[in-house]
Amino acid sequence: MKVITKTNFKFKNQISKYSGKVRDVYNIDNQYLVMVASDRLSAFDVVLPKGIPYKGQILNQIACKMLKETSHIVQNWLIDSPDPNVSIGQICEPFKIEMVIRGYLSGHAARLYKSGIREICGVKMSEGMIENDQFNFPIITPTTKAIDGQHDEDISKKDLLDQKIVSHEDYKILENYTYNLFAEGSRIANKQGLILVDTKYEFGKNLKGEIILIDEIHTPDSSRYFYLSSYRKLQKSKSAQKQLSKEFVRQWLISKGFQGKEGQIIPEMSL
Protein backbone atom coordinates (compact mmCIF):
# COMPACT_ATOMS: atom_id res chain seq x y z
CA MET A 1 0.00 0.00 0.00
CA LYS A 2 1.40 3.37 -1.03
CA VAL A 3 2.25 5.98 1.57
CA ILE A 4 2.91 9.73 1.27
CA THR A 5 6.32 10.30 2.81
CA LYS A 6 7.31 13.43 0.88
CA THR A 7 5.79 16.09 -1.34
CA ASN A 8 7.35 18.54 -3.77
CA PHE A 9 4.66 20.85 -5.12
CA LYS A 10 5.33 24.05 -7.05
CA PHE A 11 2.38 26.31 -6.33
CA LYS A 12 1.72 29.66 -7.98
CA ASN A 13 3.30 32.46 -5.90
CA GLN A 14 5.05 29.87 -3.70
CA ILE A 15 7.84 31.47 -1.69
CA SER A 16 9.18 28.59 0.38
CA LYS A 17 8.62 25.06 1.61
CA TYR A 18 9.33 23.66 5.06
CA SER A 19 9.18 19.98 5.99
CA GLY A 20 8.31 19.25 9.60
CA LYS A 21 8.22 15.87 11.27
CA VAL A 22 4.87 15.03 9.72
CA ARG A 23 3.69 17.98 7.61
CA ASP A 24 5.09 19.76 4.57
CA VAL A 25 4.28 23.46 4.73
CA TYR A 26 4.21 25.76 1.70
CA ASN A 27 4.31 29.57 2.02
CA ILE A 28 2.12 31.23 -0.62
CA ASP A 29 2.91 34.90 -1.21
CA ASN A 30 3.63 35.44 2.53
CA GLN A 31 -0.15 35.39 3.12
CA TYR A 32 -1.26 31.76 3.17
CA LEU A 33 0.06 28.38 4.19
CA VAL A 34 -0.69 25.13 2.40
CA MET A 35 -0.10 22.31 4.88
CA VAL A 36 0.12 18.75 3.56
CA ALA A 37 -0.19 16.02 6.18
CA SER A 38 2.09 13.15 5.15
CA ASP A 39 2.03 9.55 6.33
CA ARG A 40 5.34 10.02 8.15
CA LEU A 41 5.55 8.74 11.73
CA SER A 42 7.67 10.46 14.37
CA ALA A 43 8.63 9.61 17.93
CA PHE A 44 11.11 11.30 20.28
CA ASP A 45 11.34 14.10 17.67
CA VAL A 46 12.74 11.65 15.11
CA VAL A 47 11.03 10.72 11.84
CA LEU A 48 10.88 6.95 11.63
CA PRO A 49 11.83 5.13 8.40
CA LYS A 50 8.41 3.83 7.40
CA GLY A 51 5.15 5.67 6.91
CA ILE A 52 1.65 4.47 7.76
CA PRO A 53 -0.99 4.37 4.98
CA TYR A 54 -3.75 6.99 5.38
CA LYS A 55 -2.23 8.36 8.60
CA GLY A 56 -1.92 11.88 7.15
CA GLN A 57 -5.49 11.88 5.87
CA ILE A 58 -6.88 10.80 9.23
CA LEU A 59 -4.79 13.35 11.14
CA ASN A 60 -5.76 16.20 8.83
CA GLN A 61 -9.46 15.37 8.93
CA ILE A 62 -9.50 15.08 12.74
CA ALA A 63 -7.56 18.34 13.10
CA CYS A 64 -9.91 20.22 10.77
CA LYS A 65 -12.97 18.95 12.62
CA MET A 66 -11.50 19.89 16.01
CA LEU A 67 -10.41 23.34 14.81
CA LYS A 68 -13.94 24.04 13.64
CA GLU A 69 -15.47 22.72 16.88
CA THR A 70 -13.26 24.96 19.04
CA SER A 71 -13.39 28.14 16.94
CA HIS A 72 -15.82 29.70 19.44
CA ILE A 73 -12.99 29.62 22.02
CA VAL A 74 -10.17 31.02 19.92
CA GLN A 75 -9.75 32.05 16.31
CA ASN A 76 -7.60 29.58 14.35
CA TRP A 77 -5.50 29.57 11.22
CA LEU A 78 -7.71 27.27 9.10
CA ILE A 79 -9.45 28.64 5.98
CA ASP A 80 -10.31 25.45 4.08
CA SER A 81 -9.39 21.81 3.51
CA PRO A 82 -9.66 21.11 -0.24
CA ASP A 83 -8.22 17.59 0.02
CA PRO A 84 -8.23 14.95 2.81
CA ASN A 85 -4.49 15.49 3.33
CA VAL A 86 -4.40 19.26 2.85
CA SER A 87 -5.30 22.34 4.88
CA ILE A 88 -5.00 25.96 3.78
CA GLY A 89 -4.85 28.77 6.28
CA GLN A 90 -3.54 32.12 7.44
CA ILE A 91 0.17 32.65 7.71
CA CYS A 92 1.38 33.84 11.10
CA GLU A 93 4.45 34.22 13.30
CA PRO A 94 4.47 31.21 15.66
CA PHE A 95 5.30 31.52 19.32
CA LYS A 96 8.50 29.57 20.01
CA ILE A 97 6.82 27.27 22.51
CA GLU A 98 4.30 24.46 22.62
CA MET A 99 1.64 24.68 25.30
CA VAL A 100 1.50 21.12 26.65
CA ILE A 101 -1.33 20.43 29.09
CA ARG A 102 -1.69 17.27 31.17
CA GLY A 103 -4.72 16.01 33.01
CA TYR A 104 -3.09 12.74 34.06
CA LEU A 105 0.31 11.40 35.10
CA SER A 106 1.17 9.73 31.82
CA GLY A 107 3.85 9.53 29.15
CA HIS A 108 6.82 11.86 29.67
CA ALA A 109 5.52 13.06 33.05
CA ALA A 110 5.11 9.47 34.27
CA ARG A 111 8.63 8.56 33.15
CA LEU A 112 10.02 11.52 35.12
CA TYR A 113 7.92 10.56 38.15
CA LYS A 114 9.18 6.96 38.06
CA SER A 115 12.75 8.28 38.09
CA GLY A 116 12.04 10.07 41.39
CA ILE A 117 11.43 13.56 40.03
CA ARG A 118 8.44 15.35 41.56
CA GLU A 119 8.48 18.56 39.55
CA ILE A 120 7.92 19.18 35.85
CA CYS A 121 8.31 22.61 34.25
CA GLY A 122 8.23 24.20 37.69
CA VAL A 123 4.98 22.45 38.61
CA LYS A 124 4.98 20.21 41.70
CA MET A 125 3.52 16.72 41.42
CA SER A 126 1.98 15.10 44.50
CA GLU A 127 3.58 12.16 46.29
CA GLY A 128 1.92 8.75 46.17
CA MET A 129 0.66 8.89 42.60
CA ILE A 130 0.76 5.92 40.25
CA GLU A 131 1.04 6.07 36.48
CA ASN A 132 -2.10 7.39 34.78
CA ASP A 133 -3.61 8.87 37.96
CA GLN A 134 -5.55 12.05 37.36
CA PHE A 135 -4.05 15.32 38.59
CA ASN A 136 -6.20 17.40 40.92
CA PHE A 137 -6.19 20.06 38.21
CA PRO A 138 -4.73 20.01 34.68
CA ILE A 139 -1.15 21.27 34.60
CA ILE A 140 0.57 23.21 31.83
CA THR A 141 4.09 21.99 31.06
CA PRO A 142 5.43 24.07 28.14
CA THR A 143 8.23 23.00 25.85
CA THR A 144 10.51 25.00 23.61
CA LYS A 145 10.04 24.55 19.87
CA ALA A 146 12.81 22.34 18.49
CA ILE A 147 15.11 23.63 15.79
CA ASP A 148 16.00 21.08 13.08
CA GLY A 149 17.86 18.13 14.56
CA GLN A 150 17.18 19.15 18.14
CA HIS A 151 14.61 18.07 20.71
CA ASP A 152 11.78 19.99 22.32
CA GLU A 153 12.83 20.86 25.87
CA ASP A 154 10.72 21.27 29.00
CA ILE A 155 10.70 24.83 30.29
CA SER A 156 8.96 26.48 33.23
CA LYS A 157 6.64 29.44 33.00
CA LYS A 158 9.15 31.47 35.05
CA ASP A 159 12.00 30.70 32.65
CA LEU A 160 9.84 31.48 29.63
CA LEU A 161 9.05 34.89 31.04
CA ASP A 162 12.53 35.58 32.43
CA GLN A 163 14.10 34.74 29.07
CA LYS A 164 11.45 36.87 27.33
CA ILE A 165 10.52 34.02 25.00
CA VAL A 166 6.92 35.17 25.54
CA SER A 167 5.69 38.39 27.12
CA HIS A 168 3.70 38.31 30.37
CA GLU A 169 0.65 39.67 28.56
CA ASP A 170 0.78 37.12 25.74
CA TYR A 171 1.48 34.19 28.06
CA LYS A 172 -1.59 35.00 30.13
CA ILE A 173 -3.68 34.78 26.95
CA LEU A 174 -2.00 31.52 25.84
CA GLU A 175 -2.54 30.00 29.28
CA ASN A 176 -6.22 30.92 29.30
CA TYR A 177 -6.77 29.55 25.79
CA THR A 178 -4.95 26.33 26.72
CA TYR A 179 -7.13 25.63 29.75
CA ASN A 180 -10.32 26.42 27.84
CA LEU A 181 -9.35 24.33 24.80
CA PHE A 182 -8.45 21.39 27.03
CA ALA A 183 -11.80 21.63 28.81
CA GLU A 184 -13.66 21.65 25.49
CA GLY A 185 -11.49 18.85 24.09
CA SER A 186 -12.23 16.80 27.20
CA ARG A 187 -15.97 17.39 26.78
CA ILE A 188 -15.83 16.30 23.13
CA ALA A 189 -13.79 13.22 24.04
CA ASN A 190 -16.17 12.20 26.82
CA LYS A 191 -19.09 12.29 24.37
CA GLN A 192 -17.19 9.72 22.29
CA GLY A 193 -16.41 7.48 25.27
CA LEU A 194 -12.84 8.75 25.59
CA ILE A 195 -10.68 10.71 28.06
CA LEU A 196 -8.38 13.44 26.74
CA VAL A 197 -5.32 12.67 28.85
CA ASP A 198 -2.82 15.22 27.58
CA THR A 199 -2.26 17.27 24.47
CA LYS A 200 -0.38 20.25 23.09
CA TYR A 201 -1.44 23.49 21.45
CA GLU A 202 0.53 25.86 19.27
CA PHE A 203 -0.25 29.53 18.78
CA GLY A 204 0.95 32.39 16.64
CA LYS A 205 0.15 35.96 15.63
CA ASN A 206 -1.47 36.55 12.26
CA LEU A 207 -0.78 39.49 9.97
CA LYS A 208 -3.18 41.61 12.03
CA GLY A 209 -1.22 40.87 15.21
CA GLU A 210 -3.99 38.69 16.64
CA ILE A 211 -3.15 35.57 18.67
CA ILE A 212 -4.61 32.54 16.91
CA LEU A 213 -4.47 28.76 17.26
CA ILE A 214 -2.29 27.05 14.63
CA ASP A 215 -1.19 23.58 13.49
CA GLU A 216 -3.22 20.52 14.55
CA ILE A 217 -5.24 19.89 17.71
CA HIS A 218 -6.70 16.87 19.49
CA THR A 219 -5.28 14.27 17.07
CA PRO A 220 -3.73 10.98 18.23
CA ASP A 221 -0.40 12.40 17.00
CA SER A 222 -0.53 15.39 19.34
CA SER A 223 -2.70 13.95 22.13
CA ARG A 224 -3.24 10.92 24.31
CA TYR A 225 -6.66 9.36 24.87
CA PHE A 226 -7.87 6.67 27.30
CA TYR A 227 -11.11 4.72 27.06
CA LEU A 228 -13.63 6.15 29.54
CA SER A 229 -15.44 2.87 30.22
CA SER A 230 -12.34 0.97 31.36
CA TYR A 231 -10.29 3.74 33.01
CA ARG A 232 -11.35 3.31 36.67
CA LYS A 233 -11.25 -0.49 36.63
CA LEU A 234 -7.79 -0.62 35.06
CA GLN A 235 -6.46 2.10 37.33
CA LYS A 236 -7.79 0.37 40.44
CA SER A 237 -6.00 -2.85 39.46
CA LYS A 238 -2.86 -0.86 38.49
CA SER A 239 -3.09 -2.24 34.96
CA ALA A 240 -1.95 -0.51 31.79
CA GLN A 241 -4.59 1.77 30.30
CA LYS A 242 -6.08 1.01 26.91
CA GLN A 243 -5.30 4.13 24.94
CA LEU A 244 -5.29 5.91 21.61
CA SER A 245 -1.91 7.57 21.09
CA LYS A 246 1.62 6.98 19.83
CA GLU A 247 2.70 5.70 23.24
CA PHE A 248 2.82 2.07 22.05
CA VAL A 249 5.35 3.16 19.41
CA ARG A 250 7.44 5.00 22.01
CA GLN A 251 7.34 2.02 24.37
CA TRP A 252 8.39 -0.37 21.57
CA LEU A 253 11.30 1.93 20.69
CA ILE A 254 12.32 2.19 24.36
CA SER A 255 12.25 -1.63 24.62
CA LYS A 256 14.68 -1.68 21.69
CA GLY A 257 17.00 0.84 23.38
CA PHE A 258 16.00 3.87 21.33
CA GLN A 259 14.82 7.26 22.69
CA GLY A 260 16.14 9.55 19.98
CA LYS A 261 19.36 10.26 21.84
CA GLU A 262 22.65 10.99 20.11
CA GLY A 263 24.37 7.86 18.82
CA GLN A 264 21.26 5.65 19.04
CA ILE A 265 20.20 3.78 15.91
CA ILE A 266 16.54 3.49 14.97
CA PRO A 267 15.56 -0.19 15.20
CA GLU A 268 14.13 -1.99 12.18
CA MET A 269 10.35 -1.71 12.25
CA SER A 270 8.24 -4.48 10.72
CA LEU A 271 4.98 -3.65 8.97
mmCIF file with all atom_site columns, all heavy atoms in Angstrom, residues 24-40:
data_model
loop_
_atom_site.group_PDB
_atom_site.id
_atom_site.type_symbol
_atom_site.label_atom_id
_atom_site.label_alt_id
_atom_site.label_comp_id
_atom_site.label_asym_id
_atom_site.label_entity_id
_atom_site.label_seq_id
_atom_site.pdbx_PDB_ins_code
_atom_site.Cartn_x
_atom_site.Cartn_y
_atom_site.Cartn_z
_atom_site.occupancy
_atom_site.B_iso_or_equiv
_atom_site.pdbx_formal_charge
_atom_site.auth_seq_id
_atom_site.auth_comp_id
_atom_site.auth_asym_id
_atom_site.auth_atom_id
_atom_site.pdbx_PDB_model_num
ATOM 1   N N   . ASP A 1 24 ? 4.354  18.888 5.475  1.00 0.00 ? 24 ASP A N   1
ATOM 2   C CA  . ASP A 1 24 ? 5.088  19.755 4.572  1.00 0.00 ? 24 ASP A CA  1
ATOM 3   C C   . ASP A 1 24 ? 4.297  21.046 4.439  1.00 0.00 ? 24 ASP A C   1
ATOM 4   O O   . ASP A 1 24 ? 3.091  21.021 4.156  1.00 0.00 ? 24 ASP A O   1
ATOM 5   C CB  . ASP A 1 24 ? 5.250  19.105 3.193  1.00 0.00 ? 24 ASP A CB  1
ATOM 6   C CG  . ASP A 1 24 ? 6.170  17.893 3.234  1.00 0.00 ? 24 ASP A CG  1
ATOM 7   O OD1 . ASP A 1 24 ? 6.945  17.767 4.201  1.00 0.00 ? 24 ASP A OD1 1
ATOM 8   O OD2 . ASP A 1 24 ? 6.115  17.074 2.296  1.00 0.00 ? 24 ASP A OD2 1
ATOM 9   N N   . VAL A 1 25 ? 4.968  22.175 4.656  1.00 0.00 ? 25 VAL A N   1
ATOM 10  C CA  . VAL A 1 25 ? 4.278  23.464 4.734  1.00 0.00 ? 25 VAL A CA  1
ATOM 11  C C   . VAL A 1 25 ? 4.797  24.396 3.641  1.00 0.00 ? 25 VAL A C   1
ATOM 12  O O   . VAL A 1 25 ? 5.993  24.663 3.550  1.00 0.00 ? 25 VAL A O   1
ATOM 13  C CB  . VAL A 1 25 ? 4.479  24.113 6.122  1.00 0.00 ? 25 VAL A CB  1
ATOM 14  C CG1 . VAL A 1 25 ? 3.685  25.408 6.212  1.00 0.00 ? 25 VAL A CG1 1
ATOM 15  C CG2 . VAL A 1 25 ? 4.065  23.151 7.232  1.00 0.00 ? 25 VAL A CG2 1
ATOM 16  N N   . TYR A 1 26 ? 3.873  24.891 2.823  1.00 0.00 ? 26 TYR A N   1
ATOM 17  C CA  . TYR A 1 26 ? 4.213  25.761 1.703  1.00 0.00 ? 26 TYR A CA  1
ATOM 18  C C   . TYR A 1 26 ? 3.719  27.186 1.988  1.00 0.00 ? 26 TYR A C   1
ATOM 19  O O   . TYR A 1 26 ? 2.554  27.390 2.341  1.00 0.00 ? 26 TYR A O   1
ATOM 20  C CB  . TYR A 1 26 ? 3.564  25.251 0.421  1.00 0.00 ? 26 TYR A CB  1
ATOM 21  C CG  . TYR A 1 26 ? 4.068  23.886 -0.015 1.00 0.00 ? 26 TYR A CG  1
ATOM 22  C CD1 . TYR A 1 26 ? 3.531  22.720 0.520  1.00 0.00 ? 26 TYR A CD1 1
ATOM 23  C CD2 . TYR A 1 26 ? 5.071  23.767 -0.973 1.00 0.00 ? 26 TYR A CD2 1
ATOM 24  C CE1 . TYR A 1 26 ? 3.980  21.465 0.124  1.00 0.00 ? 26 TYR A CE1 1
ATOM 25  C CE2 . TYR A 1 26 ? 5.537  22.519 -1.377 1.00 0.00 ? 26 TYR A CE2 1
ATOM 26  C CZ  . TYR A 1 26 ? 4.984  21.375 -0.819 1.00 0.00 ? 26 TYR A CZ  1
ATOM 27  O OH  . TYR A 1 26 ? 5.437  20.134 -1.219 1.00 0.00 ? 26 TYR A OH  1
ATOM 28  N N   . ASN A 1 27 ? 4.631  28.157 1.831  1.00 0.00 ? 27 ASN A N   1
ATOM 29  C CA  . ASN A 1 27 ? 4.313  29.572 2.020  1.00 0.00 ? 27 ASN A CA  1
ATOM 30  C C   . ASN A 1 27 ? 3.881  30.143 0.670  1.00 0.00 ? 27 ASN A C   1
ATOM 31  O O   . ASN A 1 27 ? 4.640  30.123 -0.304 1.00 0.00 ? 27 ASN A O   1
ATOM 32  C CB  . ASN A 1 27 ? 5.553  30.302 2.540  1.00 0.00 ? 27 ASN A CB  1
ATOM 33  C CG  . ASN A 1 27 ? 5.338  31.798 2.715  1.00 0.00 ? 27 ASN A CG  1
ATOM 34  O OD1 . ASN A 1 27 ? 4.511  32.418 2.067  1.00 0.00 ? 27 ASN A OD1 1
ATOM 35  N ND2 . ASN A 1 27 ? 6.128  32.402 3.584  1.00 0.00 ? 27 ASN A ND2 1
ATOM 36  N N   . ILE A 1 28 ? 2.644  30.652 0.613  1.00 0.00 ? 28 ILE A N   1
ATOM 37  C CA  . ILE A 1 28 ? 2.125  31.233 -0.616 1.00 0.00 ? 28 ILE A CA  1
ATOM 38  C C   . ILE A 1 28 ? 2.021  32.749 -0.465 1.00 0.00 ? 28 ILE A C   1
ATOM 39  O O   . ILE A 1 28 ? 1.177  33.266 0.291  1.00 0.00 ? 28 ILE A O   1
ATOM 40  C CB  . ILE A 1 28 ? 0.736  30.649 -0.965 1.00 0.00 ? 28 ILE A CB  1
ATOM 41  C CG1 . ILE A 1 28 ? 0.749  29.116 -0.918 1.00 0.00 ? 28 ILE A CG1 1
ATOM 42  C CG2 . ILE A 1 28 ? 0.278  31.155 -2.335 1.00 0.00 ? 28 ILE A CG2 1
ATOM 43  C CD1 . ILE A 1 28 ? 1.731  28.460 -1.862 1.00 0.00 ? 28 ILE A CD1 1
ATOM 44  N N   . ASP A 1 29 ? 2.941  33.433 -1.132 1.00 0.00 ? 29 ASP A N   1
ATOM 45  C CA  . ASP A 1 29 ? 2.910  34.897 -1.205 1.00 0.00 ? 29 ASP A CA  1
ATOM 46  C C   . ASP A 1 29 ? 2.938  35.573 0.168  1.00 0.00 ? 29 ASP A C   1
ATOM 47  O O   . ASP A 1 29 ? 2.424  36.683 0.336  1.00 0.00 ? 29 ASP A O   1
ATOM 48  C CB  . ASP A 1 29 ? 1.664  35.350 -1.980 1.00 0.00 ? 29 ASP A CB  1
ATOM 49  C CG  . ASP A 1 29 ? 1.820  36.741 -2.583 1.00 0.00 ? 29 ASP A CG  1
ATOM 50  O OD1 . ASP A 1 29 ? 2.972  37.152 -2.844 1.00 0.00 ? 29 ASP A OD1 1
ATOM 51  O OD2 . ASP A 1 29 ? 0.793  37.406 -2.782 1.00 0.00 ? 29 ASP A OD2 1
ATOM 52  N N   . ASN A 1 30 ? 3.541  34.892 1.163  1.00 0.00 ? 30 ASN A N   1
ATOM 53  C CA  . ASN A 1 30 ? 3.625  35.435 2.532  1.00 0.00 ? 30 ASN A CA  1
ATOM 54  C C   . ASN A 1 30 ? 2.251  35.805 3.107  1.00 0.00 ? 30 ASN A C   1
ATOM 55  O O   . ASN A 1 30 ? 2.163  36.647 4.012  1.00 0.00 ? 30 ASN A O   1
ATOM 56  C CB  . ASN A 1 30 ? 4.545  36.665 2.578  1.00 0.00 ? 30 ASN A CB  1
ATOM 57  C CG  . ASN A 1 30 ? 6.012  36.274 2.589  1.00 0.00 ? 30 ASN A CG  1
ATOM 58  O OD1 . ASN A 1 30 ? 6.379  35.207 3.087  1.00 0.00 ? 30 ASN A OD1 1
ATOM 59  N ND2 . ASN A 1 30 ? 6.859  37.119 2.024  1.00 0.00 ? 30 ASN A ND2 1
ATOM 60  N N   . GLN A 1 31 ? 1.199  35.142 2.611  1.00 0.00 ? 31 GLN A N   1
ATOM 61  C CA  . GLN A 1 31 ? -0.146 35.388 3.122  1.00 0.00 ? 31 GLN A CA  1
ATOM 62  C C   . GLN A 1 31 ? -0.844 34.109 3.585  1.00 0.00 ? 31 GLN A C   1
ATOM 63  O O   . GLN A 1 31 ? -1.603 34.134 4.552  1.00 0.00 ? 31 GLN A O   1
ATOM 64  C CB  . GLN A 1 31 ? -1.020 36.053 2.054  1.00 0.00 ? 31 GLN A CB  1
ATOM 65  C CG  . GLN A 1 31 ? -0.593 37.455 1.681  1.00 0.00 ? 31 GLN A CG  1
ATOM 66  C CD  . GLN A 1 31 ? -1.625 38.128 0.798  1.00 0.00 ? 31 GLN A CD  1
ATOM 67  O OE1 . GLN A 1 31 ? -2.763 38.356 1.198  1.00 0.00 ? 31 GLN A OE1 1
ATOM 68  N NE2 . GLN A 1 31 ? -1.221 38.430 -0.423 1.00 0.00 ? 31 GLN A NE2 1
ATOM 69  N N   . TYR A 1 32 ? -0.566 33.011 2.881  1.00 0.00 ? 32 TYR A N   1
ATOM 70  C CA  . TYR A 1 32 ? -1.264 31.764 3.173  1.00 0.00 ? 32 TYR A CA  1
ATOM 71  C C   . TYR A 1 32 ? -0.273 30.615 3.335  1.00 0.00 ? 32 TYR A C   1
ATOM 72  O O   . TYR A 1 32 ? 0.841  30.653 2.794  1.00 0.00 ? 32 TYR A O   1
ATOM 73  C CB  . TYR A 1 32 ? -2.241 31.424 2.038  1.00 0.00 ? 32 TYR A CB  1
ATOM 74  C CG  . TYR A 1 32 ? -3.222 32.523 1.738  1.00 0.00 ? 32 TYR A CG  1
ATOM 75  C CD1 . TYR A 1 32 ? -3.063 33.332 0.610  1.00 0.00 ? 32 TYR A CD1 1
ATOM 76  C CD2 . TYR A 1 32 ? -4.296 32.782 2.597  1.00 0.00 ? 32 TYR A CD2 1
ATOM 77  C CE1 . TYR A 1 32 ? -3.948 34.364 0.334  1.00 0.00 ? 32 TYR A CE1 1
ATOM 78  C CE2 . TYR A 1 32 ? -5.188 33.809 2.327  1.00 0.00 ? 32 TYR A CE2 1
ATOM 79  C CZ  . TYR A 1 32 ? -5.012 34.599 1.193  1.00 0.00 ? 32 TYR A CZ  1
ATOM 80  O OH  . TYR A 1 32 ? -5.883 35.616 0.933  1.00 0.00 ? 32 TYR A OH  1
ATOM 81  N N   . LEU A 1 33 ? -0.703 29.618 4.072  1.00 0.00 ? 33 LEU A N   1
ATOM 82  C CA  . LEU A 1 33 ? 0.057  28.377 4.192  1.00 0.00 ? 33 LEU A CA  1
ATOM 83  C C   . LEU A 1 33 ? -0.761 27.234 3.616  1.00 0.00 ? 33 LEU A C   1
ATOM 84  O O   . LEU A 1 33 ? -1.962 27.124 3.882  1.00 0.00 ? 33 LEU A O   1
ATOM 85  C CB  . LEU A 1 33 ? 0.370  28.063 5.662  1.00 0.00 ? 33 LEU A CB  1
ATOM 86  C CG  . LEU A 1 33 ? 1.353  28.967 6.395  1.00 0.00 ? 33 LEU A CG  1
ATOM 87  C CD1 . LEU A 1 33 ? 1.526  28.467 7.824  1.00 0.00 ? 33 LEU A CD1 1
ATOM 88  C CD2 . LEU A 1 33 ? 2.698  29.018 5.685  1.00 0.00 ? 33 LEU A CD2 1
ATOM 89  N N   . VAL A 1 34 ? -0.102 26.403 2.835  1.00 0.00 ? 34 VAL A N   1
ATOM 90  C CA  . VAL A 1 34 ? -0.688 25.134 2.397  1.00 0.00 ? 34 VAL A CA  1
ATOM 91  C C   . VAL A 1 34 ? 0.034  24.043 3.168  1.00 0.00 ? 34 VAL A C   1
ATOM 92  O O   . VAL A 1 34 ? 1.253  23.893 3.054  1.00 0.00 ? 34 VAL A O   1
ATOM 93  C CB  . VAL A 1 34 ? -0.513 24.916 0.878  1.00 0.00 ? 34 VAL A CB  1
ATOM 94  C CG1 . VAL A 1 34 ? -1.028 23.530 0.479  1.00 0.00 ? 34 VAL A CG1 1
ATOM 95  C CG2 . VAL A 1 34 ? -1.242 25.994 0.095  1.00 0.00 ? 34 VAL A CG2 1
ATOM 96  N N   . MET A 1 35 ? -0.699 23.322 4.011  1.00 0.00 ? 35 MET A N   1
ATOM 97  C CA  . MET A 1 35 ? -0.097 22.314 4.876  1.00 0.00 ? 35 MET A CA  1
ATOM 98  C C   . MET A 1 35 ? -0.552 20.930 4.427  1.00 0.00 ? 35 MET A C   1
ATOM 99  O O   . MET A 1 35 ? -1.747 20.628 4.423  1.00 0.00 ? 35 MET A O   1
ATOM 100 C CB  . MET A 1 35 ? -0.502 22.567 6.333  1.00 0.00 ? 35 MET A CB  1
ATOM 101 C CG  . MET A 1 35 ? 0.277  21.762 7.347  1.00 0.00 ? 35 MET A CG  1
ATOM 102 S SD  . MET A 1 35 ? -0.169 22.193 9.068  1.00 0.00 ? 35 MET A SD  1
ATOM 103 C CE  . MET A 1 35 ? 0.571  23.822 9.232  1.00 0.00 ? 35 MET A CE  1
ATOM 104 N N   . VAL A 1 36 ? 0.409  20.106 4.032  1.00 0.00 ? 36 VAL A N   1
ATOM 105 C CA  . VAL A 1 36 ? 0.117  18.754 3.562  1.00 0.00 ? 36 VAL A CA  1
ATOM 106 C C   . VAL A 1 36 ? 0.517  17.754 4.647  1.00 0.00 ? 36 VAL A C   1
ATOM 107 O O   . VAL A 1 36 ? 1.690  17.682 5.027  1.00 0.00 ? 36 VAL A O   1
ATOM 108 C CB  . VAL A 1 36 ? 0.881  18.435 2.261  1.00 0.00 ? 36 VAL A CB  1
ATOM 109 C CG1 . VAL A 1 36 ? 0.484  17.043 1.745  1.00 0.00 ? 36 VAL A CG1 1
ATOM 110 C CG2 . VAL A 1 36 ? 0.602  19.491 1.198  1.00 0.00 ? 36 VAL A CG2 1
ATOM 111 N N   . ALA A 1 37 ? -0.462 17.020 5.143  1.00 0.00 ? 37 ALA A N   1
ATOM 112 C CA  . ALA A 1 37 ? -0.193 16.019 6.180  1.00 0.00 ? 37 ALA A CA  1
ATOM 113 C C   . ALA A 1 37 ? 0.279  14.729 5.510  1.00 0.00 ? 37 ALA A C   1
ATOM 114 O O   . ALA A 1 37 ? -0.477 14.083 4.788  1.00 0.00 ? 37 ALA A O   1
ATOM 115 C CB  . ALA A 1 37 ? -1.447 15.763 7.001  1.00 0.00 ? 37 ALA A CB  1
ATOM 116 N N   . SER A 1 38 ? 1.532  14.369 5.752  1.00 0.00 ? 38 SER A N   1
ATOM 117 C CA  . SER A 1 38 ? 2.094  13.153 5.152  1.00 0.00 ? 38 SER A CA  1
ATOM 118 C C   . SER A 1 38 ? 1.755  11.943 6.012  1.00 0.00 ? 38 SER A C   1
ATOM 119 O O   . SER A 1 38 ? 1.110  12.050 7.056  1.00 0.00 ? 38 SER A O   1
ATOM 120 C CB  . SER A 1 38 ? 3.617  13.298 5.037  1.00 0.00 ? 38 SER A CB  1
ATOM 121 O OG  . SER A 1 38 ? 4.221  13.130 6.317  1.00 0.00 ? 38 SER A OG  1
ATOM 122 N N   . ASP A 1 39 ? 2.216  10.790 5.559  1.00 0.00 ? 39 ASP A N   1
ATOM 123 C CA  . ASP A 1 39 ? 2.032  9.550  6.325  1.00 0.00 ? 39 ASP A CA  1
ATOM 124 C C   . ASP A 1 39 ? 3.261  9.226  7.168  1.00 0.00 ? 39 ASP A C   1
ATOM 125 O O   . ASP A 1 39 ? 3.408  8.104  7.663  1.00 0.00 ? 39 ASP A O   1
ATOM 126 C CB  . ASP A 1 39 ? 1.741  8.382  5.370  1.00 0.00 ? 39 ASP A CB  1
ATOM 127 C CG  . ASP A 1 39 ? 0.427  8.557  4.626  1.00 0.00 ? 39 ASP A CG  1
ATOM 128 O OD1 . ASP A 1 39 ? -0.497 9.153  5.210  1.00 0.00 ? 39 ASP A OD1 1
ATOM 129 O OD2 . ASP A 1 39 ? 0.320  8.102  3.475  1.00 0.00 ? 39 ASP A OD2 1
ATOM 130 N N   . ARG A 1 40 ? 4.155  10.236 7.341  1.00 0.00 ? 40 ARG A N   1
ATOM 131 C CA  . ARG A 1 40 ? 5.344  10.016 8.155  1.00 0.00 ? 40 ARG A CA  1
ATOM 132 C C   . ARG A 1 40 ? 4.956  9.812  9.617  1.00 0.00 ? 40 ARG A C   1
ATOM 133 O O   . ARG A 1 40 ? 3.974  10.378 10.098 1.00 0.00 ? 40 ARG A O   1
ATOM 134 C CB  . ARG A 1 40 ? 6.311  11.203 8.042  1.00 0.00 ? 40 ARG A CB  1
ATOM 135 C CG  . ARG A 1 40 ? 6.850  11.429 6.640  1.00 0.00 ? 40 ARG A CG  1
ATOM 136 C CD  . ARG A 1 40 ? 7.988  12.437 6.609  1.00 0.00 ? 40 ARG A CD  1
ATOM 137 N NE  . ARG A 1 40 ? 7.612  13.784 6.964  1.00 0.00 ? 40 ARG A NE  1
ATOM 138 C CZ  . ARG A 1 40 ? 7.268  14.737 6.094  1.00 0.00 ? 40 ARG A CZ  1
ATOM 139 N NH1 . ARG A 1 40 ? 7.212  14.469 4.802  1.00 0.00 ? 40 ARG A NH1 1
ATOM 140 N NH2 . ARG A 1 40 ? 6.965  15.957 6.497  1.00 0.00 ? 40 ARG A NH2 1
#
